[in-house]
Amino acid sequence: ARLWANPRAHLDVVMRFYRMRFREDLPTSLTLQEIRGKEGVRVRETYARASRETGVAWSGRQNSPTIRGSAWVQGNFGASSIATSG
């Protein structure tokens, strides 16, 4: 929690995880939002490539109110489960 609460430490952790996961260094000038955007591009390119290779149609992420609501419920349920499991 200490690393997450400190913006600079949080960004350092994100960069270390990114480097471990992708074997790629990021410019130290990137913000957390820019890193998230970079990851989003990587995910979309991966889905598009898998779609081409498998022939399964994919036309982008669907972001309807139902999907957003479901993600909110799942996130809050998960957080409350962790908080009460002590």
Side-chain angles (χ1 to χ4, degrees):
R2 193 170 19 104
L3 295 175
W4 175 85
N6 177 312
R8 182 69 236 170
H10 183 182
L11 189 57
D12 289 342
V13 169
V14 168
M15 288 196 168
R16 281 189 302 219
F17 271 107
Y18 195 95
R19 187 171 38 253
M20 285 181 357
R21 183 172 181 200
F22 299 115
R23 307 276 188 240
E24 174 186 334
D25 285 329
L26 293 171
T28 57
S29 61
L30 291 181
T31 66
L32 185 56
Q33 201 63 20
E34 289 169 324
I35 294 169
R36 287 179 179 148
K38 187 173 178 65
E39 176 64 7
V41 168
R42 184 184 297 272
V43 168
R44 286 188 297 279
E45 288 173 351
T46 299
Y47 285 157
R49 184 177 59 249
S51 174
R52 287 190 307 274
E53 291 172 359
T54 63
V56 175
W58 181 76
S59 60
R61 180 177 174 189
Q62 303 302 312
N63 196 12
S64 70
T66 302
I67 292 171
R68 285 192 306 269
S70 176
W72 182 88
V73 169
Q74 291 172 7
N76 283 290
F77 178 75
S80 64
S81 296
I82 291 169
T84 59
S85 67

